[in-house]
Amino acid sequence: MKKNLLSIIILALLVVNLVLTTIMMISVRSAAVKTSALISDIAGAMKLELSSGAGAGAMRQDVPMEDVAVYKIENQMTIPLKVGEDGEAHFCMVSVALSMNTKSEGYKTYGADISSKESLITSVIYDVVGNYTLEEAQADKDGMRNEILKEIQAMFDSDFIFQVAFSDIIFQ
């Protein structure tokens, strides 16, 4: 008789546990939905994108991988940075690769022979990176990439180059 009574008590406690768990999950779910709605409203007011990586590729087009050609500038560049608050001379060593859309009209015009324009592209990179101090360059690599991209697109008067990538970047 005691074993039967103990089994009934355990069963009753399991049912109570199940009911309390269900109540807790319903209350947590409603709080999560309200929090998600609040975050969406705040992001909408601030005009932010909620997708990952949106800031890093602000100028980036959606190009399928089969339509992407990559041109890597052969030499690693050592670029003197603007003198910062510490008064010291600093340098940036960087290797740069350009992603190009092979379906773009600009690629048909310039893309096949882009190596002949490498010195012009290198000059743009030197100018843009050289305008940053050490602290600014370390804090805003995405800004540097986007500024280089804008300058190169303006130089070619085309957006067939849609991304600038730093494969190695070292600050001294």
Side-chain angles (χ1 to χ4, degrees):
M1 181 81 174
K2 284 188 177 186
K3 288 183 182 180
N4 248 354
L5 187 60
L6 191 58
S7 295
I8 293 173
I9 291 173
I10 290 173
L11 181 62
L13 288 174
L14 283 173
V15 170
V16 169
N17 187 15
L18 182 63
V19 169
L20 290 176
T21 302
T22 305
I23 292 170
M24 183 179 69
M25 291 306 292
I26 290 171
S27 67
V28 168
R29 184 184 172 281
S30 67
V33 168
K34 289 177 186 176
T35 302
S36 177
L38 178 66
I39 290 172
S40 295
D41 290 344
I42 291 171
M46 294 176 64
K47 296 179 182 167
L48 295 176
E49 292 288 327
L50 294 177
S51 62
S52 63
M59 295 294 294
R60 186 167 180 230
Q61 302 170 2
D62 290 329
V63 179
M65 281 306 284
E66 62 268 7
D67 296 338
V68 175
V70 177
Y71 179 73
K72 184 177 185 320
I73 296 177
E74 289 300 317
N75 298 328
Q76 185 177 28
M77 294 177 267
T78 303
I79 305 169
L81 297 172
K82 186 168 70 172
V83 176
E85 294 178 9
D86 62 356
E88 298 285 322
H90 296 284
F91 295 90
C92 172
M93 294 173 53
V94 64
S95 295
V96 179
L98 306 173
S99 298
M100 301 177 290
N101 182 355
T102 59
K103 299 292 184 186
S104 174
E105 287 297 319
Y107 182 79
K108 293 175 180 123
T109 306
Y110 302 110
D113 194 31
I114 196 154
S115 60
S116 67
K117 310 283 192 271
E118 184 174 323
S119 60
L120 295 173
I121 295 169
T122 303
S123 174
V124 168
I125 295 168
Y126 270 93
D127 290 343
V128 170
V129 174
N131 286 330
Y132 282 81
T133 65
L134 175 67
E135 295 79 18
E136 293 170 343
Q138 287 175 332
D140 195 18
K141 293 176 195 159
D142 290 335
M144 273 196 309
R145 281 190 281 262
N146 286 336
E147 194 173 336
I148 291 168
L149 180 62
K150 286 178 190 175
E151 293 291 325
I152 291 173
Q153 286 176 342
M155 179 176 64
F156 286 107
D157 194 27
S158 176
D159 63 350
F160 75 98
I161 297 174
F162 66 92
Q163 186 179 26
V164 174
F166 297 150
S167 55
D168 295 317
I169 186 164
I170 301 170
F171 299 102
Q172 294 179 333

